[in-house]
Amino acid sequence: MDSEAVREGLAVAAARLATRGLVIGTGGNLSVRDGDRVFTTPSGADLAQVTADQMVVTDLDGTVIEDTDHKPTSELLLHLEIYRSTDAAAVVHAHPIASIAVANLVDELPAVHYTAALLGGAVRVAPHEIFGTQALTDAVAAALAERTAALMRNHGSVAYGESLATACERIELVEWQAEIYLRTAAVGPGATLTQEQLVQVAVAAAERGYSPLRRK
């Protein structure tokens, strides 16, 4: 990949999350993997204003490999673990309001809509751990097993994908489904889909070449 294009893409995606209200202030972070290099938003960055030249480049062990005055995101451990344990090309972590509310109420965001198939099923909630720690990394990695997104109690959400656009779309999808869940739960018990039903959705979508999310 072209280094400048990756940096600019991260800045655009960060602004997108901020504009759509998925982060506030310096909360949230994004990264893209390019071979043995990982480009991340800098620690303490306001995602609404972060610029391409502020991005930090590390190797897969977390060592900064390009000169910069900035430090990598405080959640670097989490990003690197997701790259090690999945086929992710991009990782996005945000602090969306509905997602946090759901994570504080239940152990799992149930499949309230068939698009949960795009996330691998119901979204698990990782227990609260201090940000930037190995404990949080381990908890989220477990919640992500066979999933492409997870919630983090009293904290936020995380999603990954084969591109930065897909990772952003998935974290937005989690927030949308969290809002559906909260509105439904405010009225009463709602209908949810089983894993078997979601598999049927995935099969039907594959057969018809259908995806509710934008394609590259």
Side-chain angles (χ1 to χ4, degrees), residues 20-84:
R20 299 188 181 186
L22 273 71
V23 295
I24 183 171
T26 61
N29 34 75
L30 306 85
S31 69
V32 169
R33 177 179 179 176
D34 178 22
D36 294 332
R37 300 183 300 168
V38 176
F39 294 74
T40 77
T41 50
S43 177
D46 183 335
L47 295 191
Q49 301 178 4
V50 70
T51 58
D53 63 300
Q54 294 176 311
M55 302 306 167
V56 182
V57 186
T58 76
D59 61 20
L60 292 172
D61 293 322
T63 301
V64 176
I65 57 176
E66 292 189 9
D67 290 340
T68 179
D69 293 330
H70 301 282
K71 295 181 180 179
T73 170
S74 59
E75 297 291 7
L76 181 62
L77 283 177
L78 174 59
H79 287 249
L80 295 178
E81 176 57 33
I82 293 173
Y83 289 127
R84 281 192 290 264

Side-chain angles (χ1 to χ4, degrees), residues 89-170:
V91 177
V92 175
H93 164 52
H95 295 171
I97 294 174
S99 294
I100 296 172
V102 169
N104 293 351
L105 290 171
V106 297
D107 294 328
E108 180 180 86
L109 170 60
V112 294
H113 189 270
Y114 70 83
T115 49
L118 295 169
L119 307 172
V123 181
R124 302 187 190 97
V125 178
H128 173 72
E129 299 289 353
I130 300 301
F131 67 90
T133 62
Q134 187 62 50
L136 177 62
T137 295
D138 292 344
V140 174
L144 280 172
E146 300 182 342
R147 299 291 188 271
T148 57
L151 292 168
M152 305 150 77
R153 180 154 293 144
N154 305 108
H155 189 157
S157 56
V158 63
Y160 69 86
E162 62 272 17
S163 69
L164 185 55
T166 298
C168 287
E169 287 166 349
R170 285 175 174 162

